[in-house]
Structures are given as C-alpha cells and as structure tokens.
Amino acid sequence: MQFLRPGTVLRAFLLFTVMAAVLLPLGMSADAEESPVPLQPLLDQAQPGQILTLEPITYSGPAVIDKPLTLQGKDVKIVNETSEPVLTLLSSGINLEGMNLVHLHRDPAIPAVLLQQISESRLSGLTIKTLGAGVNLRQAKDITLRDMTILGSQQPGSSRGNAMDLLDSSGITITGSDIQRMQDGIYVEGGSSLSLVDNEVSGSRYGFHLMFTKDLELLNNRGFGNITGAMVMSVRQASIQNNRFEKQSQNVNAQGLLLFEVYDSTIAGNIAEGNRVGFYIQGSENNRLLSNELRSNFIGIQMLSSADNVLHNNTLTANVVAAQAVDSSGNTSDGNYWDSAPTLDVDGSGFSGLPYSVNPFFLQISGPVPPFQLLFQSPGMPVLEQLFQSGAETWLRDAAPLLEPPASRNAEGEAETGVLLLSLLLLGVGSATILKFRRFSS
C-alpha cells in the first residue's frame, strides 16, 4: 500500500485553500445578484416623513410608496420584471434621489415610475433603463424632475415608450436631464406652468412633444439626431429660447423646430443646424422670431398658412433653400441676414437698400416631383424663377436685410475692443518704462 508523501499532501491542501478563497466570494456575489431584496417590506416599515437610505445592493420591485418619504441611496439598483411600474408614487411629499432603476417589462404604456395625482415631490439623480416608458405624471402638481438619465431600448419605433409623459399636470420643472432612444423625450398634453431647462434628447422620435399646455418655457435644451427636435402644438404665449436643434435629417418629415397653431409666443436665440427643415411653421400667428440662427439646413424656414409673425435679426446661412412661405401673408420681416440675398448699402447703415423676397418656386416644383431637386442651382433655374412671379404678395420678404450676420458684427466689435484695450495696455507699459529709465539715468 502506497502513501502520499507529506509534501504532496501539503501542496494539495494549499491549492484547495486558495481555490476556496477565490471561488467562495464569487459564488456569494453571484447568489446576491441573483436574489435581490424585496423593496416593499422596507417601505411598509418606514414612518411618514422618514429619510430612508438604502444599502448599495440590488432590490426587487414593484413597490408602492403611499406616504411622504425620502428614498435615497448611492449604487442602489431596483430591478423589476413585472407588468407594473418599478415604483408607484401615491402620496405627496415623496423624494427619490440617486438610484438606478431597471424596468425589464416591454410595454410602452408601462413606466418605470408612476406619479398619480400627487404634489410637491422631487425626483433627482435617477438613472432609468427601461424597455417600456420612463416617468409618467398623471394629474400631478408642483413636481421637480432634476438630473435624470433615461435610456430606452435599442429597438426602434413604437415598441418604445416616452421618457417623460405628462398628462394634465401643472407646475412641473424638468431640468438637466439626458434622454436617449425613447419614443418621445418629453411628452406633454394639457396642464400649465411647465418649465423645461437644460435637457438633452437624442435618438428619439420627437425630442420635445408639447401640446395644449399653457405658460410653457422651453429654454437651453438640445435635440440631436431625432426625427423632430421639438414639436410645439396649440400653445399660446410660450417662451422658446436659446435651444439647439441639430441633425434632425434622417426622415422625410424631419424638422428642427415645428410650430403648429402656436400664437403670441417668443422664439428667440435658438440654433437650428443640419436639419431637413430648420423651422417649420404652420397655422401660427402673432409670434416673434428674434435672433435665431438657421444654418446648413435643407430648408431654413418653411411657413404654411401663417400670418402676422415678426422675423427680426435672424441669421440664415448655408441653407440649401433659405426659406419658403406658402399662403402666408402679413408677416413682417426686416433686419435679418440672408447669405443668398443681393445687398447694397447706400447709406452706410449696415442694412441693404434692396428688399429681399424669397421665391418659393423651386420648392413648389420639387415638392410634388422630388427628382426635380437635381435642378437646384442649375443655370436655368434663376430664369424660371423670374418667369413665375404669381402670388408674390404671400412670399416672405425682408424689407432691409443685414449686410453681415449679427454674430460677425458682434465678434468684430469685440475684436476691435480687444485691440483697443491691448493697445492702451502696451502704451501704459511703454510710458512707465520710459519714465523709469529717465529717472534711473538722472
């Protein structure tokens, strides 16, 4: 009978110890990941008004919060595979902070978070990965959504839900959010006193889809690579300012900013770049379009059945077609910069003495017959445009175009100011040096 040598036994023991030390923690972490902790019992035990800080582990939903409560936690994950929302909020005074929500049920009508008829609540710093919708507000009031990240499915189309879906909700502030790959980024129907500030939506259908709401503010947002950057419909007295709408160009109906039946509103300081249509305006009246930049779009501004709007100090550069206005009379346009306009400054004012009328002839023939777009800038096109002048009274006409873009004029002024300040500084240094040298010499 042969016995193992003592050295062999020792080596086998050491190997077993090392393997156990390595594999046991892996097995424990796998078990912990596979068995998330139910969240609902913790919520049931919490007292109203309590701040409940969750451990940095994985919890399971769905869960309902029906009392004032602050729920927070860093590196906390809440996973839900059911047909209910991950979290349903049924009480006012609820705050959710800094958690990761994973919603694995594929239904565009089911959100990760549902706020139902509540008020004075806040969601901040949440990251939501969803196969359905993101956050739904139903008849909610005085809610703040801040620094949210909502990521949708890789599958395009109607299988996605809206990132934020607001119905008849008022006093809502949404700021600092990043939304990707959803049906609509922020969808609003009804309600009032809505403020959307510093949000970005990409890879979706409508970045911002806003309908039938009052007291709307759309400020400093960005829509990138959507079908339409922002669609604003049936709204009065809106403030749409300092937004960027870029690269909405991969669909035949793509626009940077779409205004449909918008009245008495201010659209100012926005940039629309690289879109199929920069601004599409239909059935809209008494709006002020001021100091916007429309550049490198196929069509800069397209107006249909819109009247009594004011266009001033806008810049239109490098668009294939600067503008088109059909059945749109009574619009006032002056002091805009058109890089396609022939200009003549007769009095040194910086404004052209030649009015500029935008002839829609090219779009009128290429719309019904898209292959005619090949004729753009062909030698005969200007001749044909001059032959067809019917309906000129409805064309968009700038009474006094700018000779230079406003930004260029500002940049030149800033450059001149900088040169002047530098010259004064050098003059002062030189004078001080000369005086010091003279004193030293004497």
Side-chain angles (χ1 to χ4, degrees), residues 312-362:
H312 178 71
N313 207 48
N314 301 288
T315 301
L316 293 96
T317 56
N319 302 291
V320 175
V321 178
Q324 179 195 39
V326 178
D327 297 328
S328 299
S329 59
N331 296 295
T332 301
S333 176
D334 69 272
N336 304 286
Y337 177 78
W338 312 78
D339 62 354
S340 56
T343 56
L344 177 63
D345 189 358
V346 296
D347 57 4
S349 64
F351 296 90
S352 175
L354 301 176
Y356 177 55
S357 296
V358 182
N359 192 329
F361 171 73
F362 172 71

Side-chain angles (χ1 to χ4, degrees), residues 302-308 323-333 356-361 364 389-398:
Q302 191 169 15
M303 301 182 72
L304 178 64
S305 303
S306 297
D308 301 323
Q324 179 195 39
V326 178
D327 297 328
S328 299
S329 59
N331 296 295
T332 301
S333 176
Y356 177 55
S357 296
V358 182
N359 192 329
F361 171 73
Q364 287 177 330
Q389 297 285 321
S390 62
E393 66 277 2
T394 65
W395 294 358
L396 192 61
R397 182 176 184 272
D398 195 316

Side-chain angles (χ1 to χ4, degrees), residues 229-249:
M231 192 277 201
V232 184
M233 174 181 175
S234 298
V235 169
R236 290 183 179 272
Q237 298 180 341
S239 177
I240 303 172
Q241 301 192 47
N242 302 321
N243 304 285
R244 297 181 69 96
F245 305 111
E246 302 170 286
K247 307 299 183 184
Q248 275 79 212
S249 59

Side-chain angles (χ1 to χ4, degrees), residues 401-421:
L402 283 170
L403 269 69
E404 299 176 355
S408 297
R409 296 173 67 188
N410 293 339
E412 182 179 348
E414 292 174 0
E416 291 177 353
T417 302
V419 171
L420 177 60
L421 292 175

